[in-house]
Amino acid sequence: MTVAVYAADPVLRVGVVHQLRQRPEVDLLDDADAERAQASLVVVDTVDDDVASLLDRLRLNTATRTGLVVGTLGSGALQRVIECGVAAVLRRSDAHQDQLLQLVQAIANGEGVLPGDLLGKLLSHVSSLQRSALDPRGLSLSTLTTREADMLRLVSEGLDTAEIARKTSYSERTVKNVLHEIITRLQLRNRSHAVGYALRNGLI
């Protein structure tokens, strides 16, 4: 795996480079070749404006994915680094050789990595966003609106158009239009295919 390491603090950089250089699976690139790395590791104490700016620049290079090794991640910083395209986060206190290698492998394989407590915070944030911003507008973070999901649930229970219309207080024409919109937008074949797709993807 080709890896580029970015750190404003030379001591942090030397520490991470030393750990990774001992692993034969890792090919560390120098600054001149950094843009062709499969994985970019940004090693910092905290996420400030300069770090966010670097992460934004790295995001523009679609050939590489970015991981963050950070001392502390303050309130709101997790969302900020995710918006900057960071695929994986590791605390510096956990950044021994095996953990660094696992982080690099996950990034190169297109996986995301977060410490458990940060994952919990992210899920809580997403849940809060759904409740406060999207639910009142009948919207959803999934590819289905609340109304679409409700109608597909009823289809999955074996109800036909007339029964769904009675249950939801919509006209039969509206029910048909909503279901047709789902099938067309998601490029599915029919209602059964739509229900299967929604179940497989956790949308209903």
Side-chain angles (χ1 to χ4, degrees):
M1 295 166 292
T2 53
V3 180
V5 177
Y6 298 82
D9 182 335
V11 175
L12 293 181
R13 180 185 170 85
V14 167
V16 170
V17 167
H18 175 73
Q19 299 271 34
L20 291 175
R21 188 163 275 147
Q22 299 175 46
R23 303 303 294 243
E25 310 97 313
V26 174
D27 178 16
L28 284 167
L29 301 181
D30 57 29
D31 292 347
D33 294 321
E35 285 196 1
R36 63 180 186 82
Q38 291 171 279
S40 296
L41 281 188
V42 176
V43 188
V44 295
D45 283 320
T46 59
V47 176
D48 57 18
D49 289 342
D50 289 340
V51 172
S53 179
L54 169 61
L55 294 173
D56 269 332
R57 284 200 309 276
L58 292 174
R59 180 174 54 178
L60 298 176
N61 180 3
T62 55
T64 187
R65 297 182 79 239
T66 303
L68 180 69
V69 180
V70 63
T72 57
L73 203 57
S75 176
L78 178 59
Q79 182 180 343
R80 188 175 190 188
V81 300
I82 290 171
E83 288 169 353
C84 290
V86 169
V89 176
L90 180 66
R91 286 203 174 86
R92 276 207 358 247
S93 57
D94 299 325
H96 50 78
Q97 191 179 107
D98 289 340
Q99 288 290 86
L100 282 170
L101 182 63
Q102 287 175 17
L103 184 75
V104 168
Q105 287 174 327
I107 294 168
N109 291 334
E111 300 167 6
V113 178
L114 278 179
D117 64 308
L118 293 182
L119 180 58
K121 286 180 185 175
L122 178 62
L123 292 174
S124 294
H125 175 75
V126 170
S127 177
S128 171
L129 175 65
Q130 178 71 48
R131 285 192 311 275
S132 63
L134 300 179
D135 283 349
R137 296 176 176 85
L139 301 173
S140 167
L141 285 170
S142 75
T143 52
L144 300 177
T145 67
T146 304
R147 180 171 74 168
E148 289 171 341
D150 288 343
M151 288 193 187
L152 272 186
R153 272 190 212 94
L154 295 173
V155 172
S156 74
E157 292 168 12
L159 278 65
D160 63 21
T161 302
E163 292 168 321
I164 294 171
R166 280 196 299 278
K167 200 130 179 138
T168 59
S169 300
Y170 289 112
S171 69
E172 289 187 35
R173 180 174 180 165
T174 298
V175 172
K176 286 178 183 175
N177 287 342
V178 168
L179 293 173
H180 182 269
E181 164 63 21
I182 297 168
I183 291 164
T184 304
R185 189 175 72 242
L186 300 179
Q187 298 179 338
L188 304 170
R189 290 188 299 277
N190 50 41
R191 292 184 183 190
S192 298
H193 191 193
V195 168
Y197 173 90
L199 289 170
R200 277 195 309 276
N201 290 281
L203 304 179
I204 61 172

